[in-house]
Amino acid sequence: GFDYSPEEVYGAVNAVSPSFIRVEADELTYPLHVILRYQIEADIIAGDLNVEDIPQRWNADMKRLLGVDVENDADGCLQDMHWSALAIGYFPTYLIGAATAAQLEHFCRKDFPNFDDLVEKGEFSPLREWLTEKVHKHGSRYESLDAMLEAELGEKLNPKYFIKYLTSKYSDLYGLD
């Protein structure tokens, strides 16, 4: 049997460790993987980076952003299927989704001061109803995510909620002030 406290399990599953592979990245370093890919895509589209220079740029950016030395292109610029499928510009949607989730959580907590109690008790119906009212029922009614968030929450997508979420969670986890 295992003899680990809930806190030890929580710490283990939320450990931060830079890695080569985006889909294996932890929650804190994952955005850096997205930023790396977005910056490379933007430079290619702008004509500031040639395709044959992607591996060198990738390796330099992995070192700069994550402190990781890439030894081969399979662990580097060839690890994702997106570019081979011509899915250019797709990576930022992952980060937009995480930032949106943090913003939605912030406003949901404002409407449900007992948010944590509801989650602890597994009582998700009020939260699901809130999401249905604020997000799901609208489908493609709004012309953009910003338009929906502004109409339903009072402000456009704001990264401060995601930054606050990550800062709070990992400061608590690692005992930082």
Side-chain angles (χ1 to χ4, degrees), residues 105-129:
E105 179 193 9
H106 169 81
F107 282 96
C108 190
R109 284 179 177 279
K110 284 179 73 172
D111 289 346
F112 292 96
N114 63 336
F115 182 94
D116 290 330
D117 291 334
L118 291 170
V119 171
E120 286 177 19
K121 293 175 184 174
E123 296 175 9
F124 298 110
S125 293
L127 307 177
R128 187 177 58 247
E129 290 167 11

Side-chain angles (χ1 to χ4, degrees), residues 74-85:
D75 286 339
C77 63
L78 297 179
Q79 68 179 268
D80 297 298
M81 61 86 176
H82 297 72
W83 290 342
S84 64

